[in-house]
């Protein structure tokens, strides 16, 4: 089996806003040991950080879905829709895929429409052929939350680790060596998420279980999708700023194989020289999704 993962976090289930990490462990129809070894061999060749700049948010979803289809997996809603499309066309199977979601609210009923359990089932899982037993999510209502986090880490290791992390980043102030744990949500996040709870801040959970930065850094590959002008500063800090726990996405500068995929609007805070450099590599980036 070929494990891939995706994580979600930030503004909890609004995929369009990128803050959404989801760990999808996946099996790319690899039926032989030689296939798997070859795939790992190709992955190991990636020893640089890439920034793929596309024209629109739709292009970001399309590029990411094609990349995932080749390896296999994905994240934001647009990308999920593209993966579902591939599945319905008979081009992609999730029969041997195992997924790990990065976050879940604490003290929110599992069947609440804003829980990650509900969001992932309605937006993705019910549309594909994944085995429900292989769609793993944290339990924000577990009697012992610390034990739940430790058990999640164990399951990730038991699955062979994460091949591909797709999503976003942890809350500001997260330790760069953090593991799966209980995290108090920043006031900014709570305010932003109020729109999913009828505009009532009092109804927004203040804590969540989330996979840590160190756990993500152990993934063989990391893909971060960033769209919109409102994410421009975050992209600037991720690509051009120093590594900081206040912008945990910056930690991926130290990752052996990180790919940032963004649209034009998200590049507004980047230096012209930076944008020109990465756009000059578009031909190389296209090869990553050829024939997908």
């Amino acid at each position: 089996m070929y494990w891939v993962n995706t994580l979600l976090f930030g503004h909890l289930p609004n995929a369009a806003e990128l803050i959404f990490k989801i760990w999808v462990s996946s099996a790319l129809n690899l039926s032989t040991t030689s296939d798997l070894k070859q795939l790992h061999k190709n992955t190991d060749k990636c020893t640089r950080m890439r920034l793929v700049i596309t024209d629109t948010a739709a292009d970001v979803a399309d590029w990411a879905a094609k990349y995932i289809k080749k390896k296999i997996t994905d994240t934001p809603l647009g990308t999920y829709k593209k993966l579902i499309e591939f599945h319905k066309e008979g081009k992609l199977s999730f029969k041997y895929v195992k997924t790990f979601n990065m976050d879940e609210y604490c003290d929110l009923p599992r069947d609440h429409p804003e829980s990650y359990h509900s969001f992932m089932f309605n937006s993705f899982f019910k549309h594909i052929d994944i085995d429900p037993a292989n769609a793993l999510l944290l339990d924000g209502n577990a009697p012992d939350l610390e034990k739940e986090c430790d058990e999640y880490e164990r399951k990730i290791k038991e699955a062979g680790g994460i091949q591909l992390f797709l999503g976003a980043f942890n809350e500001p102030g997260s330790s760069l060596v953090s593991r799966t744990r209980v995290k108090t949500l920043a006031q900014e996040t709570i305010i932003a998420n109020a729109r999913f709870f009828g505009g009532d801040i009092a109804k927004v959970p203040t804590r969540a279980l989330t996979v840590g930065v160190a756990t993500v850094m152990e993934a063989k590959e990391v893909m971060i999708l960033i769209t919109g002008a409102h994410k421009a500063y975050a992209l600037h800090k991720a690509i051009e700023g120093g590594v900081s726990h206040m912008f945990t996405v910056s930690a991926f500068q130290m990752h052996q194989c990180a790919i940032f995929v963004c649209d034009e609007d998200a590049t507004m805070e980047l230096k012209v020289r930076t944008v020109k450099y990465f756009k000059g590599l578009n031909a190389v980036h296209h090869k990553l999704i050829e024939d997908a």
Side-chain angles (χ1 to χ4, degrees):
M1 260 185 203
Y2 179 66
W3 303 104
V4 182
N5 303 248
T6 329
L7 303 126
L8 325 156
F9 201 81
H11 302 327
L12 284 163
N14 181 350
E17 293 200 20
L18 179 138
I19 282 178
F20 157 120
K21 318 165 188 172
I22 192 186
W23 285 15
V24 177
S25 290
S26 106
L28 232 164
N29 290 329
L30 298 179
S31 58
T32 67
T33 302
S34 60
D35 287 337
L36 186 57
K37 287 182 177 179
Q38 182 61 41
L39 187 54
H40 281 289
K41 181 180 179 181
N42 292 339
T43 297
D44 292 341
K45 291 179 181 179
C46 180
T47 57
R48 65 182 298 175
M49 184 184 78
R50 301 178 187 274
L51 173 61
V52 180
I53 302 173
T54 68
D55 291 334
T56 68
D59 292 333
V60 169
D62 188 65
W63 195 98
K66 287 179 178 178
Y67 185 84
I68 287 169
K69 177 175 172 283
K70 285 194 73 172
K71 295 235 161 184
I72 177 182
T73 30
D74 183 85
T75 190
L77 201 53
T79 310
Y80 285 149
K81 289 179 179 178
K82 195 69 179 179
L83 290 173
I84 291 170
E85 181 182 316
F86 287 147
H87 170 65
K88 290 184 175 179
E89 291 174 350
K91 299 177 180 178
L92 186 60
S93 173
F94 294 86
K95 187 176 180 180
Y96 301 107
V97 170
K98 175 168 283 192
T99 70
F100 292 87
N101 263 70
M102 179 178 183
D103 314 288
E104 181 57 283
Y105 282 122
C106 292
D107 308 315
L108 192 68
R110 186 173 189 157
D111 59 356
H112 190 285
E114 296 305 326
S115 75
Y116 275 134
H117 282 78
S118 294
F119 179 78
M120 289 306 302
F121 177 77
N122 293 322
S123 300
F124 193 45
F125 295 146
K126 75 177 183 180
H127 303 289
I128 58 176
D129 61 344
I130 189 171
D131 181 344
N134 285 336
L136 305 179
L137 296 94
L138 286 156
D139 182 1
N141 295 292
D144 187 334
L145 294 179
E146 289 190 8
K147 182 178 180 181
E148 172 69 9
C149 293
D150 291 342
E151 182 66 11
Y152 208 62
E153 287 280 338
R154 185 191 66 76
K155 289 177 180 178
I156 291 171
K157 287 184 173 63
E158 190 177 73
I162 296 160
Q163 181 65 38
L164 173 64
F165 164 83
L166 178 63
F169 28 93
N170 273 229
E171 287 282 87
S174 295
S175 168
L176 299 183
V177 295
S178 59
R179 293 285 178 178
T180 304
R181 77 277 189 212
V182 181
K183 183 70 177 177
T184 300
L185 301 181
Q187 186 65 17
E188 179 183 3
T189 299
I190 294 173
I191 292 173
N193 288 349
R195 66 187 184 279
F196 304 124
F197 294 85
D200 188 348
I201 292 180
K203 294 181 179 180
V204 182
T206 58
R207 300 184 303 160
L209 301 185
T210 183
V211 172
V213 180
T215 309
V216 177
M217 288 294 288
E218 289 180 353
K220 287 187 178 296
E221 296 183 67
V222 171
M223 182 189 294
I224 304 298
L225 310 188
I226 302 181
T227 61
H230 62 300
K231 295 298 175 189
Y233 188 65
L235 181 61
H236 156 65
K237 298 298 288 188
I239 301 298
E240 298 176 329
V243 176
S244 168
H245 72 290
M246 293 308 293
F247 287 90
T248 53
V249 67
S250 65
F252 297 135
Q253 294 178 22
M254 307 294 289
H255 196 277
Q256 64 176 354
C257 189
I259 300 176
F260 290 82
V261 188
C262 71
D263 60 4
E264 283 286 349
D265 289 345
T267 67
M268 292 177 64
E269 295 284 347
L270 295 180
K271 295 176 181 177
V272 173
R273 179 179 296 179
T274 299
V275 174
K276 285 187 174 181
Y277 170 75
F278 284 107
K279 279 192 171 183
L281 298 174
N282 277 348
V284 176
H285 297 156
H286 181 71
K287 289 183 179 298
L288 297 176
I289 58 171
E290 276 185 342
D291 303 321

